[in-house]
Amino acid sequence: QVQLVESGGGSVQPGGSLRLSCIASGSIERVDDMGWYRQAPGKQREVVATIDDRGRTVYINDVQGRFTISRDNFKNTVDLQMNSLEPEETAVYYCNALIWDRQIRKESYWGQGTQVTVSL
């Protein structure tokens, strides 16, 4: 059994920073791509940033230069450093990972989500 757990969300003023963390645990053989997604009220879930097992990253245009995604292949963690946050980025942020379990089955897993609120 595999699970992802997120932490680090909260409330911050415009221009502030937050660091989100996610750890994958359970019967894991290998973790491939990992990423962060967000869903604002009344909107569809969208990708924010992804990182593969070799450290190659992709960012949505709106966050490029302000957000940084990173991972630790030994600890099975992925972080998202968010700087210069804007009110429009208020959303629930989700961690996602493609994982091979010990029975060599590859599946996509999601965390429970963590709330990020940017306001005065």
Side-chain angles (χ1 to χ4, degrees), residues 38-45 88-92:
R38 65 188 177 191
Q39 186 167 20
K43 300 183 66 176
Q44 293 183 330
R45 187 174 301 184
E88 294 76 16
E89 293 171 316
T90 294
V92 178

Side-chain angles (χ1 to χ4, degrees), residues 11-14 87 90 117-120:
S11 297
V12 66
Q13 294 183 349
T90 294
T117 302
V118 186
S119 64
L120 295 173

Side-chain angles (χ1 to χ4, degrees), residues 5-26:
V5 179
E6 299 132 312
S7 62
S11 297
V12 66
Q13 294 183 349
S17 298
L18 286 173
R19 187 177 183 89
L20 307 181
S21 297
C22 172
I23 181 170
S25 61

